[in-house]
Amino acid sequence: MTASFVYRRSYRGPVVACVFDWAGTMVDHGSLAPTSAFREAFAAFGVAISEAEARGPMGRAKLDHVRDIGALPAVAERWQAARGRPFDENEVQAVYADFIPRQVATAGAHADLIPGAADAAAALRARGVRIGATTGYTRAIMAAVAPRAEAQGYAPDVTVCADDIAGRGRPAPGLLFQAMTALDAWPPAAVVKVGDTVADVEEGLNAGVWSVAVTETGSEMGLSLAELEALTPEDRAARRLAAADRLTRAGAHFTIPGVADLPEVIDAVEAHLARGETP
């Protein structure tokens, strides 16, 4: 038997694009806006949910997020007791319709840039990296966020929202693929995805790109900047390590406290690429 040569292509160029999540990554330290809106929406139907229950599916498209909360056995039981009927798709749509205007209001009120976000994006652009974004937010929600972020110095070249594509949202890779197409960013090994949730990490992995997770500014920590800075150094370190462990176990290639630390990660990614290593 004659052995045959198999060519294996290896991309060894630079990072060409970085695609960020929004809440918890670039704006809204602690990803506080979605949590409060979900709790208020369920409470409007007489069903209380905890912060942990509201945060559990964070990063998903918001309609899927409502479905996931209602599918929790404890929430489903409370819903049945309060409403006298199961949490079916009709109930999902009712809660979602109540949620959207609440989320628009809270997202706009929590649109402050996370420290270092604008500088990190500017540093990437200075080295020729294109900037994109994907989000579980809808276009209506982003209309309350994007102008405020731009006024503070951050405006990605493209943002793909949960309702911009048909089919499954994150962790499916469709949003990220659309962002990559709009940015003319390829191959996947030349792209970095940055987010704060397991859904973000899995979105990157499912698209075949480098997946970077922030630990201190997002939903895993769940604290405002003031709350984070009020922690003792020991408590802050322990909580950061716990968040890093969860996100690393989800598959993140790198974890960093926040996006201010991203330029060093891009250097590390490009060193891997130069050696012919891929995500």
Side-chain angles (χ1 to χ4, degrees):
M1 178 178 177
T2 303
S4 60
F5 172 75
V6 177
Y7 171 70
R8 296 185 64 183
R9 180 180 174 215
S10 178
Y11 176 77
R12 295 174 183 265
V15 170
V16 301
C18 190
V19 180
F20 295 92
D21 176 50
W22 274 92
T25 302
M26 301 301 277
V27 300
D28 187 10
H29 199 291
S31 196
L32 304 179
T35 306
S36 61
F38 280 122
R39 297 187 74 182
E40 291 170 5
F42 275 84
F45 290 83
V47 179
I49 62 172
S50 68
E51 180 175 346
E53 289 167 337
R55 281 195 181 278
M58 200 67 79
R60 300 258 285 152
K62 298 311 172 210
L63 180 58
D64 291 333
H65 196 136
V66 170
R67 290 190 182 104
D68 290 348
I69 292 174
L72 294 171
V75 175
E77 183 177 343
R78 294 199 296 273
W79 187 276
Q80 179 71 45
R83 305 282 293 170
R85 53 182 178 269
F87 191 75
D88 60 17
E89 187 61 21
N90 289 330
E91 306 295 275
V92 168
Q93 295 295 333
V95 173
Y96 183 68
D98 183 272
F99 163 81
I100 287 295
R102 297 178 190 277
Q103 181 68 99
V104 170
T106 58
H110 289 82
D112 287 346
L113 285 186
I114 287 171
D119 288 343
L124 293 176
R125 282 202 168 103
R127 62 196 290 171
V129 177
R130 284 155 252 163
I131 306 297
T134 65
T135 178
Y137 282 171
T138 63
R139 278 284 153 199
I141 299 169
M142 279 308 305
V145 175
R148 291 170 171 81
E150 184 171 5
Q152 299 169 71
Y154 173 64
D157 303 316
V158 61
T159 292
V160 184
C161 297
D163 55 347
D164 285 343
I165 66 170
R168 297 180 59 191
R170 297 189 302 200
L175 297 176
L176 185 48
F177 284 150
Q178 184 161 318
M180 291 165 62
T181 299
L183 293 168
D184 192 26
W186 50 274
V191 177
V192 174
K193 169 67 201 299
V194 186
D196 67 300
T197 66
V198 169
D200 285 299
V201 171
E202 292 179 341
E203 177 190 31
L205 298 178
N206 290 332
V209 309
W210 300 94
S211 197
V212 179
V214 297
T215 57
E216 287 196 343
T217 68
S219 187
E220 286 293 331
M221 192 75 81
L223 300 177
S224 69
L225 179 59
E227 291 170 333
L228 179 70
E229 292 179 338
L231 297 176
T232 65
E234 296 77 13
D235 191 17
R236 181 169 175 167
R239 295 180 69 158
R240 181 176 64 246
L241 288 172
D245 179 65
R246 287 191 292 271
L247 293 163
T248 299
R249 284 189 284 110
H253 297 103
F254 300 89
T255 61
I256 51 177
V259 289
D261 304 287
L262 185 62
E264 295 179 8
V265 171
I266 302 303
D267 290 338
V269 167
E270 291 187 341
H272 284 292
L273 292 172
R275 294 192 294 268
E277 298 165 0
T278 57

